[in-house]
Amino acid sequence: NFFYAYIFKKLNKINTIYFYTLDYSFKRFPNPILNKIYNYLDHFAINHCDFSISACQKICDVRTEQGLTNSKNLYLPNSPILEGVRIKKLSEIKREELVMVFSDPTQVDFQIVFEAVKKLSKIHKGISLKLIGRGNFKTKLIKSAKKYHILNRIKFLDTPTHKDTLEEISTSAIGLECNNQTVSWNEFREPLKIREYFALGLPVISKKGHALIDEITNEKIGFIIENSSDLAKYAKYLFNNPKKRLIYRNRVLKHSRKFDKEKNIRKIFGW
């Protein structure tokens, strides 16, 4: 894609090339030949673009190390445009509902989540877990959910549009990110789901392994966990402390305003 843009610019058909990097990895492919091609093309694009736009701050850091000047090295966070979905009032939020969005169920650590829900269900009778995925993922999880005796507490959703997904997130209390973090590009991934949680006022409980860990910790807008006990502990903390939950919610909403995608796009393109 970049090479075609480069040719068009050489032919004076276009004026400016923006090279947008959504994900990145030092070792993108296990095949060493493919990986060398990937890295060569990436370096070619960086050396010949007018501006580099990265969806992750850590990718921007790599571009700096590659010699790109700050004026050409732009950060555009992978945050959502809310499509008319409004931030809900506290009275509209299910205060004991966890939500987790995912595209590939094989990359999710459901064991840690199901174990935590089982522990929490002994104390919080109204607890529920909303799973938003793609396709018929429910059939693969029913057996495991039954094993933990929490099937009646899980809502399996395959939302037809992104707006519907945002609407479902907006009525939940806590957002979960519990991927296995096994793929090589996770280091340079700022999960869209977490930005969606933030934009709608949800504090986050997340496993390690992605590029938003420091942001969550430093801004005190969520919790980083190692196991199901951690997940249950922090969920219980927010469930049982309405004043603390409100503090986290307000902190999250204030933080998310810095990452208004529409405003950032207008700034980058001078609109």
Side-chain angles (χ1 to χ4, degrees):
N1 285 341
F2 180 86
F3 188 71
Y4 278 118
Y6 175 74
I7 294 299
F8 278 124
K9 188 174 183 185
K10 285 294 184 183
L11 294 173
N12 295 317
K13 299 295 183 181
I14 59 175
N15 298 319
T16 308
I17 302 177
Y18 292 85
F19 179 53
Y20 177 60
T21 309
L22 180 61
D23 64 55
Y24 181 81
S25 173
F26 292 122
K27 190 176 180 182
R28 186 65 175 78
F29 300 99
N31 184 303
I33 297 175
L34 278 179
N35 206 58
K36 281 186 178 180
I37 294 171
Y38 164 78
N39 280 292
Y40 171 80
L41 292 174
D42 181 75
H43 279 82
F44 180 86
I46 287 300
N47 290 330
H48 294 88
C49 70
D50 296 290
F51 297 96
S52 166
I53 302 176
S54 302
C56 174
Q57 183 58 53
K58 285 193 174 184
I59 301 176
C60 285
D61 295 342
V62 171
R63 300 309 186 202
T64 299
E65 292 172 4
Q66 291 172 333
L68 207 62
T69 61
N70 289 338
S71 61
K72 296 175 67 173
N73 192 5
L74 309 176
Y75 174 44
L76 181 62
N78 193 22
S79 51
I81 293 175
L82 292 182
E83 303 182 52
V85 176
R86 64 180 177 83
I87 298 166
K88 299 298 186 286
K89 300 176 182 177
L90 287 176
S91 59
E92 299 174 281
I93 295 171
K94 302 177 181 70
R95 70 180 188 87
E96 292 186 340
E97 183 169 81
L98 307 169
V99 62
M100 184 163 62
V101 181
F102 53 91
S103 56
D104 183 359
T106 64
Q107 289 295 316
V108 180
D109 187 350
F110 286 105
Q111 181 179 346
I112 197 174
V113 178
F114 288 176
E115 285 179 358
V117 171
K118 182 179 179 179
K119 292 174 183 177
L120 288 164
S121 65
K122 296 175 181 178
I123 306 168
H124 297 275
K125 303 303 179 183
I127 189 173
S128 62
L129 170 65
K130 188 183 288 180
L131 299 177
I132 304 176
R134 294 177 182 172
N136 190 23
F137 65 91
K138 177 180 178 179
T139 55
K140 299 177 181 179
L141 298 177
I142 286 178
K143 185 177 179 180
S144 180
K146 285 181 176 178
K147 171 186 170 184
Y148 290 101
H149 307 288
I150 58 168
L151 185 59
N152 63 326
R153 298 186 179 276
I154 302 177
K155 302 173 185 177
F156 299 92
L157 300 175
D158 180 1
T159 46
T161 68
H162 184 234
K163 184 176 181 179
D164 291 312
T165 299
L166 294 174
E167 193 64 52
E168 292 292 345
I169 291 171
S170 71
T171 59
S172 301
I174 301 171
L176 303 181
E177 161 60 73
C178 291
N179 278 26
N180 288 314
Q181 317 295 359
T182 55
V183 291
S184 61
W185 52 87
N186 269 325
E187 179 186 356
F188 300 98
R189 184 175 68 94
E190 293 186 358
L192 172 61
K193 74 186 83 172
I194 292 184
R195 293 287 184 205
E196 290 171 339
Y197 300 154
F198 289 164
L200 292 163
L202 279 68
V204 171
I205 298 177
S206 174
K207 289 181 66 177
K208 296 180 179 180
H210 56 77
L212 286 178
I213 295 301
D214 290 342
E215 188 174 312
I216 292 169
T217 303
N218 295 339
E219 298 295 331
K220 298 180 181 179
I221 47 181
F223 305 93
I224 307 305
I225 61 169
E226 298 277 357
N227 49 51
S228 63
S229 295
D230 288 345
L231 200 164
K233 177 179 70 174
Y234 291 125
K236 181 181 176 182
Y237 173 78
L238 291 174
F239 289 163
N240 289 343
N241 295 278
K243 290 183 179 179
K244 291 289 186 182
R245 189 167 71 245
L246 182 59
I247 290 172
Y248 270 86
R249 173 181 169 81
N250 291 338
R251 200 183 284 149
V252 166
L253 288 172
K254 181 180 179 181
H255 179 71
S256 70
R257 294 188 193 106
K258 303 175 188 176
F259 301 95
D260 185 314
K261 178 172 277 186
E262 188 171 351
K263 186 183 294 184
N264 286 328
I265 289 174
R266 290 180 181 279
K267 182 180 178 181
I268 286 173
F269 292 103
W271 295 345

